[in-house]
Amino acid sequence: MHEYTSSARVWGLSCPGFPEEVSRARRWTRDILRGSPLAEDAELIVSELSANAILHTASGQASGSFHLALAVSPQVIALSVTDDGSTGTVPKVEHQDQEAEHGRGLSMVSALAHRVVVHGSHTVTAELFTDASPAGGHLC
């Protein structure tokens, strides 16, 4: 393979901020990752991040939207959801007690993913390593 070529593939999807678009995001993820042993985890992560975008940001307001990016390489599946911003809140993992009805979404995402990164206040990326050992390779 040429040194400037990549074996990674990237897809993108933009969705209006309606609740029914969460199922579209799940289906889109499932279709792309069909046959991958990580497809179900990825689908659940996309579902949670998409729902959070609609419920907790301007994405769920009139004319709002959210955007997904899915990158697949032999080493990692990276799922990003970008929202339209909010009123000063930043996504963060919260550790709630068992009786809590809200605030568990990013905790669940971080339990499924090998790494979760919050970029500013608008994008959350979850990474699933295909061999479950990211130290196995080298980073540029």
Side-chain angles (χ1 to χ4, degrees):
M1 180 181 296
H2 189 274
E3 68 180 303
Y4 296 114
T5 351
S6 170
S7 59
R9 301 219 28 205
V10 180
W11 293 264
L13 177 68
S14 293
C15 299
F18 303 126
E20 58 270 19
E21 292 298 310
V22 174
S23 63
R24 178 179 172 215
R26 277 196 315 263
R27 185 175 54 253
W28 177 79
T29 303
R30 185 175 53 243
D31 288 347
I32 291 170
L33 296 176
R34 187 172 318 264
S36 168
L38 298 172
E40 288 182 7
D41 288 348
E43 183 181 352
L44 186 55
I45 288 168
V46 163
S47 179
E48 184 59 38
L49 294 179
S50 298
N52 282 352
I54 292 170
L55 291 172
H56 302 296
T57 75
S59 293
Q61 297 174 5
S63 74
S65 61
F66 62 99
H67 312 278
L68 293 93
L70 174 57
V72 179
S73 76
Q75 297 82 23
V76 67
I77 295 171
L79 310 148
S80 296
V81 175
T82 301
D83 61 52
D84 283 346
S86 64
T87 57
T89 61
V90 176
K92 64 181 180 282
V93 176
E94 296 178 358
H95 301 284
Q96 302 290 346
D97 63 29
Q98 286 186 314
E99 304 302 318
E101 294 182 19
H102 301 286
R104 294 183 179 173
L106 280 181
S107 293
M108 180 187 64
V109 168
S110 66
L112 291 170
H114 295 102
R115 181 167 49 186
V116 176
V117 180
V118 177
H119 309 275
S121 61
H122 301 291
T123 302
V124 177
T125 299
E127 297 176 347
L128 298 165
F129 299 117
T130 56
D131 66 359
S133 60
H138 70 280
L139 299 175
C140 297

